[in-house]
């Protein structure tokens, strides 16, 4: 079976990848297990050296990262390099704390005569990382790099919307000297992902994504019959509060960016704003004035700062939430005529600011 990635701004096929068979998936897990048993014996200093080399190799791929990311998920090309910088910053930080984080902990304060108490940190084994499409490099490196530094092997399942991100990440690691089977990329259907979660060779699962899928991941890990570790970073409904003493020029600009950057498709995007009554009107006016300056369009163009959302289905869902809120009494403050590229049947959605909303509306929950 194959998966096809559709570019959101062209609605054309961009890349196709085949899924492995069940038997091939078992081989992937076995290779990861074999590689990990050898890697666990590699001194930490050597692992760190490879990680540092990975950072260098990844930076060399900056242009490829930016262009392919824009093509896969529609982020404006002028913004895509920021994910390279963020990934590098996070990688360098995790490398900097590797020795202290992985060191044994002596518990001398609680020792008794004839006893020596300590905590020894040892690798888990094979780690499965299931990454999302919205910030695929940032979210992947959060799990992939510490797992490798700690002596584990990794099977990385990128989102089918951004399959190349996993392959590019692996390319940088292999160029840095990482053993071939220590980091493998697997393009999987939900059924195959479920099978891999349950595979007894997989000892830990790291998932970033929706609450609904997070429930499924936790459930399948439990049903595997083993005490398998699971890390879940799931979606929310992030809110901001504008205080009475806020600098409105600064605050409005920051919150517009927080709401609209990456077309609002950020793990910590601002989705609701509560404003002190005494500053409400001034804040709303400033917010709307800034939002009107955004340019929605082809994300490959340098002057565009707002691209499409990831799929037509997502666009339709957003339009419906806005329309339902307006029908229920909310007031829209941005004219869609300011964003002519936003049309039904496309992934381009006009940004909107709603007031007079309440917590019974889907757009608020």
């Amino acid at each position: 079976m194959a998966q096809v990635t559709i570019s959101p701004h062209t609605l054309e096929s961009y890349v196709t990848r085949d899924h492995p068979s069940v038997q091939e998936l078992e081989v992937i897990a076995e290779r990861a297990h074999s590689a990990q048993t050898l890697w666990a014996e590699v001194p930490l200093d050597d692992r760190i050296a490879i990680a540092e080399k990975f950072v260098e190799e990844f930076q060399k791929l900056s242009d490829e990262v930016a262009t392919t990311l824009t093509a896969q998920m529609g982020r404006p090309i002028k913004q895509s390099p920021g994910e390279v910088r963020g990934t590098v910053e996070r990688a360098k930080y995790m490398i900097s704390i590797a020795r202290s984080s992985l060191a044994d902990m002596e518990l001398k304060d609680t020792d008794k005569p004839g006893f020596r108490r300590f905590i020894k940190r040892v690798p888990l084994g094979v780690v499965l990382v299931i990454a999302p499409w919205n910030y695929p490099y940032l979210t992947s490196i959060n799990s992939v790099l510490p797992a490798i530094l700690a002596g584990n092997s990794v099977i990385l399942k990128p989102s089918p919307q951004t399959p190349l991100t996993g392959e590019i990440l692996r390319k940088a690691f292999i160029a840095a000297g990482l053993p071939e089977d220590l980091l493998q990329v697997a393009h999987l259907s939900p059924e195959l992902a479920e099978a891999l979660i349950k595979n007894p060779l997989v000892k830990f699962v790291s998932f970033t994504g929706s609450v609904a899928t997070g429930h499924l991941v936790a459930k399948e890990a439990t049903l595997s019959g083993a005490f398998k570790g699971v890390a879940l970073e799931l979606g929310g409904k992030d809110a901001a509060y504008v205080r009475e003493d806020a600098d409105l020029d600064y605050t409005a600009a920051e919150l517009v960016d927080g709401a609209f950057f990456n077309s609002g498709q950020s793990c910590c995007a601002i989705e609701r704003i509560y404003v002190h009554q005494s500053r409400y009107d001034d804040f709303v006016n400033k917010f709307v004035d800034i939002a009107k300056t955004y340019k929605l369009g082809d994300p490959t163009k340098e002057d565009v700062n707002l691209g499409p959302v990831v799929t037509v289905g997502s666009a339709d869902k957003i339009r419906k939430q806005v329309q339902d809120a307006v029908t229920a009494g909310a007031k829209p403050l941005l004219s869609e005529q300011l964003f002519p590229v936003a049309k039904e049947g496309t992934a381009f959605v006009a940004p909107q600011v709603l007031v007079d909303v309440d917590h019974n509306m889907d757009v608020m929950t």
Side-chain angles (χ1 to χ4, degrees), residues 257-285:
D257 182 66
F260 294 155
F261 190 86
N262 206 36
S263 298
Q265 302 168 132
S266 303
C267 301
C268 52
I270 299 300
E271 299 179 58
R272 300 172 293 162
I273 302 177
Y274 300 86
V275 185
H276 191 280
Q277 187 174 15
S278 67
R279 311 303 300 278
Y280 183 84
D281 289 337
D282 286 343
F283 173 81
V284 170
N285 289 335

Side-chain angles (χ1 to χ4, degrees), residues 28 192 265 271 316:
I28 290 172
L192 287 171
Q265 302 168 132
E271 299 179 58
D316 290 342

Side-chain angles (χ1 to χ4, degrees), residues 92-203:
K92 287 182 176 180
Y93 174 72
M94 288 185 284
I95 292 168
S96 75
I97 64 171
R99 289 185 180 87
S100 60
S101 298
L102 297 172
D104 293 345
M105 293 180 61
E106 297 289 345
L107 304 177
K108 294 180 180 179
D109 292 343
T110 61
D111 279 350
K112 295 181 179 179
F115 290 88
R116 178 189 170 215
R117 302 184 184 191
F118 64 94
I119 296 173
K120 185 176 181 62
R121 296 184 169 101
V122 298
L124 293 169
V126 179
V127 174
L128 170 60
V129 176
I130 304 175
W133 51 263
N134 62 336
Y135 284 93
Y137 292 102
L138 281 171
T139 53
S140 293
I141 205 66
N142 286 344
S143 300
V144 171
L145 185 57
I148 289 173
L149 284 168
N152 303 289
S153 62
V154 175
I155 301 173
L156 172 59
K157 179 205 172 298
S159 165
Q161 189 64 44
T162 51
L164 298 183
T165 59
E167 297 173 15
I168 291 173
L169 201 67
R170 182 177 185 273
K171 179 164 67 172
F173 270 108
I174 298 304
L178 194 73
E180 287 278 338
D181 290 340
L182 204 73
L183 173 57
Q184 299 178 79
V185 176
H187 304 292
L188 306 175
S189 65
E191 294 77 17
L192 287 171
E194 177 183 330
L196 191 55
I197 292 170
K198 291 180 177 178
N199 189 300
L201 294 178
V202 172
K203 302 302 182 182

Side-chain angles (χ1 to χ4, degrees), residues 2 13 19 44 57 74 133 143 153 231 242 244 262 301 327 347 365:
S13 172
H19 294 159
L44 178 57
E57 296 296 333
W133 51 263
S143 300
S153 62
V242 180
E244 185 178 16
N262 206 36
K301 305 299 184 183
T327 300
T365 60

